[in-house]
Amino acid sequence: MSQLAPNTRVCRDCDGYATAHITTGARHRDGTRVTLRVTGPACKGTGIARRVRPQEVTA
């Protein structure tokens, strides 16, 4: 018998990968790379989209 997957609201801008680490090319003294942590602007780093109410259009 198959199981149903829960209906999660994944952010459409980041596809659920809300945080990215980008290397700058520089290294720390211990040899590890210097990275920048960048979060998704739409979901603010959560990876989950807010529910948006449909807007009424008046003409």
Side-chain angles (χ1 to χ4, degrees), residues 16-31:
Y17 296 99
T19 305
H21 292 274
I22 302 169
T23 183
T24 62
R27 293 188 180 260
H28 292 288
R29 290 184 183 181
D30 63 354

Side-chain angles (χ1 to χ4, degrees), residues 14-22 36-41 43-48:
C14 67
D15 200 28
Y17 296 99
T19 305
H21 292 274
I22 302 169
L36 299 173
R37 182 179 178 191
V38 181
T39 59
C43 62
K44 295 182 177 61
T46 61
I48 301 172

